[in-house]
Amino acid sequence: MPSYGFNAISDRVELAAATGHAIISVDYRLAPEHKFPVPVEEVVYAAQWVYEQAASLGLDSNRIAVAGEGVGDSLAAVVAQQAVSRGTFSIAAQILLCPLTDWARDYASKRAYGESYFLDSALLDYCAGHYLNSGEERMNPLASPLYGVAAGVAPAIVVTAEYDPLRDEGERYSQLLIASGVAVTHMRYAGMIHLFYALTDVFEDGDDVYALINQVLGRLNRGTIDGVEGFSCS
């Protein structure tokens, strides 16, 4: 079976078991010791390396996907954008689970669900202060992929949760991808919180996320992902 390289994602073992694909977990250096853009530079380097070494790793360089959750999604999305702008490696799919795509703007979902819904806005602000060097970097496309160029990037799975503070910016990124002609499979899960897909013992919808990923990757194997697929809600 074709193999895929993945960036940061919660519960890698479960994803590997659910999809039957190889998972490559990138041990990039973390903030606050290594602030922006160090993590971005290292995940892009890792993607380039996996692409170049795919044959020796038993992988198919034409079927490399990137994936992440939350902040890790911003890195995965940036890798997909950089694959296009650099032209030195390719990404076949991106899997974005409850993605953080915009460090700069406020959103209604942050105001409504930014407290007492597992992921707090205060924590996001704390992370921004330790990851970014200045307020100006919040709109840097390498930090916030919503401000990047999405044309030509790989087809995407975007999962959002109704009660996630990051819901609106994740869906805004889906809209950017669609407007740029990118194939998008988007699911908003009603009644769910951030990271619900990693809590399958509690939330049955988490199993559905892995089934969705497996379905879309299967279509990638068959070469049947093209065009814009739009939005749907669970």
Side-chain angles (χ1 to χ4, degrees):
M1 179 172 288
S3 300
Y4 292 77
F6 286 82
N7 191 19
I9 194 167
S10 293
D11 206 342
R12 301 163 182 84
V13 173
E14 185 163 359
L15 182 63
T19 65
H21 293 83
I23 307 296
I24 296 177
S25 180
V26 179
D27 187 21
Y28 58 89
R29 290 178 291 175
L30 303 175
E33 292 82 6
H34 305 283
K35 303 184 81 166
F36 177 83
V38 173
V40 175
E41 293 170 345
E42 294 196 347
V43 296
V44 171
Y45 174 86
Q48 178 79 53
W49 185 88
V50 170
Y51 177 80
E52 293 173 352
Q53 302 299 320
S56 66
L57 296 171
L59 307 178
D60 183 345
S61 62
N62 294 315
R63 294 178 178 176
I64 297 174
V66 289
E69 65 87 20
V71 177
D73 281 314
S74 67
L75 297 174
V78 166
V79 168
Q81 292 180 4
Q82 288 293 298
V84 175
S85 63
R86 296 188 181 207
T88 57
F89 65 96
S90 66
I91 297 297
Q94 47 184 326
I95 301 167
L96 310 178
L97 306 181
C98 294
L100 188 159
T101 65
D102 185 358
W103 285 107
R105 282 183 283 191
D106 188 24
Y107 291 91
S109 59
K110 284 186 176 179
R111 295 191 296 273
Y113 309 120
E115 186 175 351
S116 302
Y117 286 89
F118 184 71
L119 176 64
D120 288 350
S121 294
L123 177 60
L124 293 171
D125 291 339
Y126 176 86
C127 291
H130 285 75
Y131 175 50
L132 302 172
N133 299 283
S134 67
E136 288 74 17
E137 289 181 343
R138 287 177 178 265
M139 296 183 69
N140 187 315
L142 294 178
S144 297
L146 188 61
Y147 301 103
V149 177
V153 303
I157 302 169
V158 181
V159 169
T160 58
E162 181 181 7
Y163 299 133
D164 184 0
L166 301 179
R167 183 196 69 197
D168 290 351
E169 63 193 82
E171 295 180 358
R172 181 72 64 87
Y173 194 65
S174 289
Q175 293 165 358
L176 173 65
L177 293 172
I178 289 173
S180 300
V182 177
V184 175
T185 301
H186 170 234
M187 289 290 291
R188 179 202 284 187
Y189 285 84
M192 292 295 102
I193 60 172
H194 186 77
L195 209 65
F196 74 94
Y197 41 81
L199 305 171
T200 52
D201 290 342
V202 179
F203 300 114
E204 292 183 359
D205 279 348
D207 293 319
D208 184 72
V209 172
Y210 294 107
L212 174 66
I213 293 171
N214 199 26
Q215 177 187 16
V216 174
L217 290 183
R219 290 165 56 204
L220 177 63
N221 289 346
R222 298 188 295 272
T224 57
I225 294 181
D226 63 344
V228 174
E229 300 176 35
F231 287 74
S232 56
C233 296
S234 174

